[in-house]
Structure formats: structure tokens, C-alpha cells
Amino acid sequence: MQQAIILTLYFLGFRLTFVHPIMTNPSVVVSPLRSGKRYGKRILAEYLLVLFILVGIIRILIAQNMGLMPQDAYYFYYSEHPALSYYDHPPMIAYLLKSFTFLFGKSELVIKLANLTLTTLTLLVFYLLSRQFLNKLKASNTLILLGSTIMVTNLSVVSLPDVPLVFFWTLSLLLLYKALFVSKGYLYWAMAGLTMGLAFNSKYTAVFLLFVLALFLLVSRQHRMLLVSRRFVLLLLVFILTITPVVYWNMQNDWISFAFQSKSRFSTISEFNFKPTYFFANIGLQMLLLMPVLFVAMFTVLGKLSIKALYSKSLPDSRKLFLLSFSVPVISFFFVLSSVYWVKSNWLLPAYIAVAIVVGMYLVEKQLKWHLILSVVFHLVLLVQVLFYPVPVKSDDTWWGWDKLAASVKSLKREYPGYFVVSDDGYKTSAVLNFYMDEPIYAGNVIGKHGLQFSLTHADLSHLNGKNAIFLDSKSRFTDTLKSNETDDELNRFFEKVTELEPIIITDENGTPIRKFLVYKCEHYNYEKVQKNKSF
């Protein structure tokens, strides 16, 4: 509880300072009110602020009690093996977690603190960006609008490459605005090139920043000549220099990360099989992330602006065009893509930074009130789920039960000393056990499959040849707590003897089985066979 209080005070220090003019301008509070209307606005402003702070407190309680997500563990695994890049993603999320665990030690709370801190800084930069377009009151209300979404909660409590991506994307927009509308010098262009490069080093989708910047310069008559200017060339050079370590790592590793993020996806997209369920699922997920009021307001505002542009046959002014350029193309691209491909919910997050400011230009406080009420309800529901887990998640993408699994595996290790531990579910079980246990945990490459980053970290498994293993198989959907009486073919192929043990059953406080892991005792590992038969 003490940790929660410290985190609450830490986070509210930002909110009380930057959230609303009423908190930073005492005269607004103490000066005589000349009308009932002004008094009503003051009461409404205080009401909105209280709701926003309540969302922040709930968010911190969620972060403290949520426990470790598989993503937290996997990117922490990145950080334990410093590199210029990694199999799935560039390295910025690893560097973030490494810096915090180096300073404050290894714990679930420190992992959450890293995400919460950088997301708080993102909100600060977002407020500064909003102030370039809106007065203080509207900028504060826009901060409240975006800052109370599930999107921000997601970034605050789960380690994702999107955490540094959204930060550097937002900072890039601020610097680009300064370069285009404030200063005629070269400094902001160079700084924008740096932050755009760091965004790319967070997640490859940051390449959209270059495309939409070029698009804005092309369609904006005021700035068109900058496309062939020394300033734009400087930005490109700094960007290229910043991403060079990631490109070099890919070159040294047969472009494996670029290929992973593009090759299979492009082949699926090129088939162009229309899948309406994907499209509507994407709509539902985005509405959840943004909350219904902001989601509907976004499309309403964009629709009205589009109609106005068609009737007037002219584009919006250059400042509004700047915001639309860094949001509409990305949002449109992924919504169209979702009709033929499963678009992950977090792919659109950076585009919502600019469009939230556009919505803020037309936002009324009555809409904001309902947005905050819904936000408090949504966050309370999420807090109940985190604290009491009334609806079990039938997936390994959950925070529940991993620590209990680790305790069971440690017990197994005492029973079978010298056995190494391996799992084959992509990365989830292996990554979480790696976090909780003081020994290497192995993944699917042990049995000839690709174990993502584990396959690179443990590329040579010859030291395991002839050894025994405990193999774990997560069953997120199960109907009984018995043995399966079946053996994975790969286990029989690469181990001389495989014996199924009693499964590990994780139960809730009432003794109800919530998660099931099949357990196999595998003897005499044959690494030479893996070398001959591996599928990657």
C-alpha cells in the first residue's frame, strides 16, 4: 500500500501541475465571480479535474496490482541481453526497462514504473504540443480527454515498444511544428530528425513519420519548397544516422527483424481476402482504447472537415493541415488494412496524438464530462478484474497466475535437479519464468522451432546435449485437470525418453482451476537431431 501511495503522489505531481488552469491560476479561484454562468464553469472545471485525478489513482492501483504481463517479461528478457536491436522489435523498450531496473532493482513494480513514467512524460509533451494550437483551457481539456483513455492506461501498465514510440512520436510532432511554424533555423530540424530516428528505434511503424511529413510538405503550398531544402536534407541525414545501429544489426543478422515484421504480413495482405470480422473487431478495439465519446467525436469532426473541404474545394489552414497529415493517413491506412488483415490494436496509437488535438478544437465540456464518467466506470471495472479476476482470461496474455506457476516449477526443479526448463508457446511462458527464476529458460528452438529472441540468445544449444529437461505446455482452454496422455511428436524426436508428469493446475482462492500446464519429463536431449531438423 505504501508503494501505491508513493506512485500516486508521484503521478499526481504531474496532473496537478499541468492538468487545468484552475490549479495553476489562483486568481481564478479567489476572484469574485461576476455571474452564475462563470461560477457554473468553475464548478464544472473542478468536477472534471476530480474525475481525471480519480482515473489517475485507479490507473496507479491497476499498475501496482496487475502483476507481470508476458510482454513485460519478454522485453525485460531483451534488456538482460543488451544489443543494437532484437528479433521482433528495435531496442528502445529494452533500454527503458534496463535503465529503470538498473537504478531501482528488478521487480514487477519497477517494470510498471518505467512504463508509467515515460507515458506521463508523453502526456506532458502532448500538452506542450496542444498549446501550440489551443489556448490554455482547451489544451488542458484536450489533455484530460486523451489522458483518461484506456489507450493511456494500456501504455502505462504494459511494457510495449509503443511506450517509447508514442513518446518520441509526440516529441517529433512538437519539434516539427517548431521547425515549420516557429523557427527558420536548422536546430529544430536536426532535433526532429533525431527524435524521429528514436521513434523508429522504438518500433518500425515510425517510418510513417517520414511519409506523412513528406505528404504534408507536398500538399501545403506554404511549405512545399522545404521538400528540396537543406533543412529537410539535414532531417533525413540525422534520421539515417540515428537508425544506423538498428540497420547495422539487421545487416549482421540477415535482415531477420525487418523480414519478421514485413515478409509474412505482406504475403498475407497481398492475397486480399476480405474479412469483415477483422474490420469490425478493429472498430470495437479502437473504441475501447479511445473510449466511445472520443472515438465518435473523432470521426464526427473528421467527417465535417472533409465535407467542408469538398464544398469549399480548399484544404484547411496549414496548422490544422499539419495535425490532419499526421493522423488521417495513418488511421485510414490501418482501418482499410483491417478489412483484409488482423490489425493489432496498438498499431494506430501514435496517430491519435494529432487527431486528439483536432477534436480538442471543437470539444465542449459537456462531452468531456460524459467521457470522464465513462472512463471512471471502465477503469473501475478493470480494477475489479485485476484485483479479483472474476472473468478468467482464456489466454496466456494475462497477468494472473504466472508467479504461482514459477513457484510450482521451482518445486519441480528441486525434485529433478539438473533438469533445464523449456516451453514452446512463442515466448510467453519462457519469458515469465526467466523473470522469476535464476537460471536460463529455453523456448521452441530446443525442439527445432523458432523461439523468437530466444533463438538468437540461445543460438548454440550444444551445451544441453545429453541433458534432461522439464517441458511445459500451457493449455489456456481446458476441460479437465487430468494428464493429456499424449506426447508432443517433437519431444519424442529430440529426447530419448518422454514421461508425462502430473499437470500444474493454478487455482483461485476458492480452489477453482483457472490455468493448466502440462508437464513432461524429457531425458537425454539430442542436439544433433535439432541441427538437422530445425525449421528456421
Side-chain angles (χ1 to χ4, degrees):
M1 188 61 187
Q2 182 180 8
Q3 293 171 326
I5 294 173
I6 293 172
L7 277 178
T8 302
L9 294 175
Y10 165 83
F11 194 48
L12 291 186
F14 163 77
R15 294 186 180 277
L16 294 177
T17 305
F18 296 100
V19 162
H20 206 279
I22 201 170
M23 300 304 295
T24 56
N25 186 1
S27 63
V28 174
V29 179
V30 300
S31 60
L33 300 178
R34 297 181 179 179
S35 67
K37 184 177 180 180
R38 184 177 177 184
Y39 177 77
K41 285 186 176 181
R42 173 191 166 190
I43 295 299
L44 179 59
E46 292 176 341
Y47 175 71
L48 295 176
L49 182 59
V50 168
L51 288 177
F52 186 49
I53 292 174
L54 179 58
V55 171
I57 294 173
I58 297 172
R59 181 176 291 150
I60 291 168
L61 292 174
I62 291 171
Q64 190 204 14
N65 291 280
M66 192 172 191
L68 204 67
M69 287 288 288
Q71 293 85 349
D72 296 323
Y74 188 52
Y75 298 121
F76 173 78
Y77 180 76
Y78 273 21
S79 72
E80 285 190 308
H81 303 88
L84 296 177
S85 192
Y86 298 90
Y87 179 80
D88 317 61
H89 292 289
M92 290 306 298
I93 182 63
Y95 298 164
L96 171 67
L97 299 183
K98 185 67 175 180
S99 61
F100 271 76
T101 53
F102 176 79
L103 291 173
F104 305 112
K106 172 186 168 183
S107 71
E108 297 95 329
L109 186 63
V110 170
I111 298 293
K112 302 299 182 184
L113 180 63
N115 304 314
L116 188 64
T117 300
L118 193 58
T119 303
T120 301
L121 291 177
T122 300
L123 291 177
L124 170 58
V125 177
F126 173 77
Y127 175 78
L128 297 176
L129 176 64
S130 300
R131 287 290 288 120
Q132 311 306 311
F133 302 89
L134 307 169
N135 61 38
K136 193 171 184 180
L137 177 61
K138 280 189 171 292
S140 299
N141 286 340
T142 303
L143 174 62
I144 291 175
L145 179 72
L146 184 71
S148 55
T149 58
I150 296 294
M151 163 186 162
V152 172
T153 300
N154 188 40
L155 294 173
S156 299
V157 303
V158 183
S159 299
L160 298 166
D162 306 88
V163 176
L165 168 67
V166 175
F167 171 75
F168 287 116
W169 182 292
T170 310
L171 188 55
S172 295
L173 295 190
L174 178 60
L175 294 171
L176 285 171
Y177 178 87
K178 296 286 188 180
L180 290 165
F181 296 97
V182 177
S183 173
K184 295 182 179 180
Y186 289 87
L187 178 61
Y188 284 118
W189 287 92
M191 293 172 65
L194 173 64
T195 55
M196 290 168 70
L198 293 174
F200 183 88
N201 291 349
S202 302
K203 198 171 185 178
Y204 298 132
T205 50
V207 74
F208 275 107
L209 279 169
L210 277 180
F211 290 127
V212 294
L213 173 60
L215 177 65
F216 169 74
L217 296 178
L218 186 64
V219 299
S220 174
R221 293 181 179 179
Q222 180 183 345
H223 300 94
R224 191 168 296 163
M225 292 306 296
L226 286 171
L227 264 176
V228 291
S229 69
R230 294 178 181 178
R231 295 176 178 85
F232 188 66
V233 172
L234 175 62
L235 179 144
L236 289 177
L237 289 176
V238 175
F239 174 83
I240 292 171
L241 181 63
T242 305
I243 70 172
T244 295
V246 172
V247 175
Y248 176 76
W249 182 92
N250 271 274
M251 183 175 64
Q252 294 293 104
N253 289 274
D254 299 320
W255 308 102
I256 190 171
S257 186
F258 290 160
F260 172 77
Q261 292 293 347
S262 59
K263 189 175 179 180
S264 62
R265 287 170 178 162
F266 286 155
S267 62
T268 303
I269 293 168
S270 63
E271 296 174 1
F272 207 79
N273 294 324
F274 180 61
K275 297 179 179 178
T277 54
Y278 285 3
F279 178 76
F280 290 110
N282 182 56
I283 290 177
L285 287 171
Q286 300 309 314
M287 185 178 293
L288 174 63
L289 286 173
L290 287 183
M291 313 294 295
V293 173
L294 176 53
F295 184 83
V296 172
M298 175 180 70
F299 281 101
T300 301
V301 170
L302 293 180
K304 289 182 177 180
L305 289 176
S306 299
I307 294 171
K308 182 179 179 181
L310 287 173
Y311 272 103
S312 64
K313 296 182 180 179
S314 62
L315 294 171
D317 65 84
S318 58
R319 295 168 76 250
K320 192 177 294 181
L321 183 62
F322 174 85
L323 293 173
L324 294 173
S325 297
F326 283 92
S327 54
V328 173
V330 181
I331 294 172
S332 301
F333 174 81
F334 282 119
F335 267 92
V336 171
L337 181 63
S338 69
S339 64
V340 297
Y341 187 80
W342 177 252
V343 170
K344 293 185 179 180
S345 59
N346 53 335
W347 289 358
L348 288 98
L349 300 189
Y352 295 142
I353 296 299
V355 81
I357 299 175
V358 177
V359 173
M361 295 176 178
Y362 305 92
L363 182 72
V364 296
E365 290 184 327
K366 184 178 180 180
Q367 294 171 320
L368 185 57
K369 180 186 73 173
W370 284 110
H371 173 82
L372 280 169
I373 291 173
L374 283 174
S375 179
V376 170
V377 172
F378 274 55
H379 281 86
L380 283 174
V381 170
L382 181 56
L383 179 60
V384 169
Q385 174 69 4
V386 168
L387 291 176
F388 304 107
Y389 210 64
V391 182
V393 179
K394 297 184 181 299
S395 166
D396 289 327
D397 279 319
T398 180
W399 59 92
W400 194 90
W402 292 113
D403 53 344
K404 298 179 181 180
L405 171 66
S408 296
V409 174
K410 288 177 181 179
S411 178
L412 269 175
K413 284 283 295 178
R414 288 191 291 269
E415 187 176 350
Y416 299 99
Y419 282 57
F420 66 90
V421 179
V422 60
S423 178
D424 175 35
D425 58 0
Y427 68 86
K428 297 179 177 66
T429 302
S430 300
V432 173
L433 290 178
N434 174 79
F435 184 88
Y436 286 115
M437 300 180 68
D438 298 324
E439 63 178 83
I441 306 297
Y442 298 89
N445 56 319
V446 167
I447 55 175
K449 299 180 181 179
H450 206 296
L452 304 178
Q453 182 59 33
F454 289 91
S455 292
L456 300 186
T457 306
H458 301 300
D460 182 8
L461 298 173
S462 58
H463 62 286
L464 299 179
N465 193 49
K467 292 188 176 181
N468 304 325
I470 295 172
F471 184 87
L472 301 171
D473 183 8
S474 173
K475 296 297 181 183
S476 55
R477 298 176 182 273
F478 60 95
T479 57
D480 59 62
T481 60
L482 305 175
K483 295 181 181 180
S484 69
N485 294 317
E486 297 177 356
T487 305
D488 194 310
D489 291 338
E490 279 80 8
L491 293 181
N492 286 318
R493 186 183 308 170
F494 302 123
F495 290 90
E496 289 185 10
K497 183 179 179 182
V498 179
T499 305
E500 185 175 7
L501 304 178
E502 289 297 322
I504 295 174
I505 306 298
I506 311 297
T507 62
D508 62 14
E509 294 179 355
N510 298 319
T512 303
I514 302 296
R515 303 189 67 186
K516 178 180 180 179
F517 294 85
L518 300 179
V519 182
Y520 298 91
K521 182 179 71 170
C522 308
E523 300 176 71
H524 304 297
Y525 178 54
N526 192 325
Y527 177 62
E528 285 75 12
K529 280 189 178 181
V530 174
Q531 288 294 91
K532 294 176 182 178
N533 294 277
K534 66 182 181 181
S535 58
F536 61 96

